[in-house]
Amino acid sequence: MNKLLALLVAIFASAAPATAAPARPKLVVAISVDQLSADLFEQYRPHFTGGLKRIAGGVAYGNGYQAHATTETCPGHATILTGAHPARSGIIANHWIDFAAPRADKQVYCAEDERLSAPGGGARISPVHLRVPTLGDRMKRADSRSRTVAVGGKDRSAVMMGGQAADQAWWWSNGRFVSNGASPAPVAERVNQAIAAAIARPRPPLVPPGFCGERDRAIPLAGGNNVGTFRFARAAGDAAAFGQSPEVDAATLTMAAALVQQLQLGRGPAPDLLAVGLAASDFIGHRYGSGGVEMCLQLMSLDSDLGGFLRLLDGMGLDYLVVLTADHGGRDIPERRRLQGAADATRLDPALTRERIGDEVARRLGLAGPIFVGNWYLAPTVPASRRAEALALAGQLLGAHPQVHKVYDAAQVAAQPIPRTPPESWSVLDRLRASYVPGRSPDLFVVHQPNVTPIANPTPTAVATHGSVWDHDRRVPILFWWPGAIPEQRSASAMTVDIMPTLAGLLGLSVPPAEVDGRCLDIIPGAESNCD
Ligand code: ZN
């Protein structure tokens, strides 16, 4: 266990009996592990001995789905506690283009209020673009004494799970946690000081357990970089490296536990909500891929640190329930996947970038570029009379390439009804529709073949990614656990949009089905139900 967490365990630990029934927990703890695909979870599941083993030992859906097409962090986190697909939540991607935005840069970040700038410049972090209430918003509406606290390794995870009415939202920013400014708990400053002290000490390399050994192999990448063997050694004072390592998850859990203790969450007259976004798996997946010793070390650290976190909650004697899932899945680098037998795994052909396709459209139609802005938005400078022609030609050029599965335009996606069937049966067009918002979504949807990693040239910070319509990016674990839970593996599929109605049912909150895309999952064993 990480030293920060160990310190807190020592401070707070005391023997307290666990409660056996999940009905009406006093504290709901929603944890998102960024980029934890169902594949990765299953691959490592036999090796977990800590918190992930405990949480997987409740009602476990191994076949969960972030059902929509644009499997990115912001839309994924927005599904977890709202019960809404991106089409309803409004959070279609991490960034989108708004040509009416009141500034020169028309790219909007999902978790900002672009009408305002933050003190000192930069984006003003805000849930203003989230169009639906979160569980915490609904809890507070039912009883104003309910409190919501969100802590994230990324601002967007804290904001999208915390919602509009979060009492406190904290996120990692340049070596410390910063908040939404709403009367922060004094303990937060002490945790930040402990984190600063941890950063100031150098970090020796982690020692991989034996089973990580088979993954501990250097994989050379184009450009001279190689991945597969990094052990997270860190120089004293390197806050950036701290923030991209297992240490930042330990820091996030430490801050979360400290806030539970300071604010006495789970001890008030109404139930409380703690949302925790753990970002390290995603940073590590992007930087090193998911198949090397780096992810092995990360998941083992996370398992241990989550174990410490749960022991802290146990020690406080709280009646709590945990749900753990991910904002999206992901997949390893094609270079290593080829060595493992995926002969067709490949990187995106640079000929398919929007600049190259746009240039070709401009040349053939005699138009001035750029033709596309952002992720396939037609530039406003393309004359109205030529827009249909430009879109059709781009679709034709893209569609003729063997790396492209299919290209759709906005009208085709908009005409599709929102899918209501189980997520494993959804067509690609269904998935796109669940991600589509008129006036916010792009003009063209380019779906690459499943074997394509959409990073043409790996860089030191991005070698692998997610974001596609395919199941390796859609499938995530959905795990419900509470002290005393009886292990139950469920083979049926579930969606992350089912989490909010399920938790609302447990808390006795009524959620009209017309307000959500998910359904309540009955997670109480026997004849009782949380869904009546
Ligand atoms: Zn993510």
Side-chain angles (χ1 to χ4, degrees):
M1 186 174 35
N2 183 279
K3 278 182 188 155
L4 280 170
L5 267 167
L7 183 74
L8 275 187
V9 170
I11 294 169
F12 296 144
S14 65
T19 49
R24 305 267 173 123
K26 296 284 287 173
L27 176 64
V28 172
V29 180
I31 301 172
S32 163
V33 179
D34 206 311
Q35 206 186 122
L36 181 65
S37 68
D39 294 337
L40 204 52
F41 174 72
E42 290 301 334
Q43 186 189 335
Y44 280 94
R45 193 168 180 177
H47 301 298
F48 294 140
T49 58
L52 284 166
K53 181 188 169 95
R54 250 169 100 171
I55 295 168
V59 176
Y61 286 88
N63 196 26
Y65 281 80
Q66 287 278 3
H68 54 271
T70 309
T71 47
E72 294 181 349
T73 295
C74 218
H77 278 104
T79 67
I80 295 171
L81 292 178
T82 65
H85 296 311
R88 186 192 295 267
S89 76
I91 307 300
I92 56 163
N94 286 345
H95 296 91
W96 57 82
I97 299 293
D98 178 359
F99 291 111
R103 60 183 186 191
D105 175 12
K106 302 303 181 188
Q107 178 163 279
V108 172
Y109 174 50
C110 60
E112 73 167 327
D113 185 341
E114 68 275 15
R115 297 162 303 181
L116 308 167
S117 65
R124 173 79 73 125
I125 299 304
S126 160
V128 69
H129 292 300
L130 183 63
R131 295 176 175 176
V132 290
T134 58
L135 179 67
D137 295 337
R138 290 178 185 273
M139 287 165 67
K140 201 177 275 287
R141 203 183 288 168
D143 188 327
S144 62
R145 297 169 301 179
S146 273
R147 292 164 297 166
T148 296
V149 172
V151 186
K154 297 180 181 175
D155 52 30
R156 52 192 180 275
S157 67
V159 164
M160 292 300 149
M161 291 198 290
Q164 309 290 346
D167 296 86
Q168 298 204 13
W170 291 87
W171 55 88
W172 184 255
S173 177
N174 299 320
R176 68 199 313 273
F177 286 96
V178 299
S179 81
N180 61 351
S183 54
V187 74
E189 193 44 47
R190 294 211 300 279
V191 173
N192 270 332
Q193 284 165 5
I195 290 169
I199 292 172
R201 292 188 295 270
R203 158 128 209 175
L206 294 174
V207 179
F211 63 85
C212 289
E214 66 194 67
R215 298 165 175 87
D216 190 11
R217 176 178 172 192
I219 307 290
L221 302 176
N225 187 17
N226 73 58
V227 297
T229 62
F230 184 58
R231 285 162 163 69
F232 300 103
R234 176 178 56 72
D238 190 344
F242 184 102
Q244 306 269 317
S245 79
E247 294 177 293
V248 77
D249 280 353
T252 306
L253 288 166
T254 302
M255 179 60 93
L259 290 167
V260 170
Q261 171 71 7
Q262 172 96 61
L263 301 171
Q264 296 283 293
L265 296 183
R267 295 186 191 283
D272 296 319
L273 172 68
L274 172 71
V276 184
L278 298 170
S281 305
D282 187 64
F283 295 135
I284 291 163
H286 284 299
R287 211 171 243 258
Y288 307 103
S290 55
V293 80
E294 300 92 346
M295 189 60 85
C296 195
L297 287 167
Q298 157 61 13
L299 292 180
M300 292 306 106
S301 297
L302 176 62
D303 180 43
S304 168
D305 291 338
L306 271 172
F309 174 73
L310 296 180
R311 286 201 296 281
L312 281 169
L313 298 185
D314 296 341
M316 295 177 205
L318 296 173
D319 175 8
Y320 70 104
L321 175 136
V322 178
V323 57
L324 184 144
T325 189
D327 56 339
H328 50 75
R331 201 159 59 169
D332 196 19
I333 51 172
E335 292 82 357
R336 189 161 37 214
R337 295 185 58 243
R338 282 199 296 275
L339 294 174
Q340 293 164 346
D344 66 344
T346 187
R347 290 189 178 276
L348 185 72
D349 182 345
L352 290 173
T353 59
R354 68 169 196 270
E355 292 82 6
R356 296 271 291 271
I357 294 291
D359 287 351
E360 184 62 15
V361 169
R363 192 184 66 79
R364 292 201 195 182
L365 300 185
L367 294 169
I371 301 297
F372 291 105
V373 181
N375 213 356
W376 305 105
Y377 293 77
L378 210 47
T381 48
V382 178
S385 61
R386 310 293 302 277
R387 294 172 78 82
E389 196 184 355
L391 273 183
L393 178 56
Q396 190 188 322
L397 293 170
L398 287 157
H401 195 287
Q403 285 194 348
V404 174
H405 171 78
K406 195 143 188 191
V407 183
Y408 299 91
D409 63 27
Q412 290 172 290
V413 176
Q416 186 78 358
I418 297 269
R420 298 278 171 211
T421 52
E424 64 272 28
S425 69
W426 288 17
S427 68
V428 168
L429 202 49
D430 286 332
R431 300 171 200 190
L432 290 167
R433 181 63 187 87
S435 275
Y436 179 77
V437 171
R440 188 172 281 183
S441 288
D443 296 300
L444 217 54
F445 298 83
V446 182
V447 180
H448 300 125
Q449 299 286 11
N451 62 325
V452 177
T453 291
I455 297 174
N457 300 302
T459 69
T461 55
V463 304
T465 194
H466 50 83
S468 82
V469 305
W470 304 114
D471 279 0
H472 54 260
D473 289 343
R474 294 172 80 218
R475 288 186 55 245
V476 294
I478 300 177
L479 313 171
F480 297 93
W481 178 87
W482 56 92
I486 297 163
E488 187 187 340
Q489 299 304 306
R490 299 217 172 150
S491 54
S493 66
M495 297 189 284
T496 54
V497 292
D498 298 333
I499 293 171
M500 195 284 281
T502 302
L503 297 174
L506 269 176
L507 296 170
L509 298 177
S510 142
V511 177
E515 291 184 11
V516 290
D517 296 306
R519 68 194 168 94
C520 180
L521 307 169
D522 183 354
I523 60 169
I524 298 184
E528 266 186 278
S529 174
N530 53 293
C531 298
D532 295 337

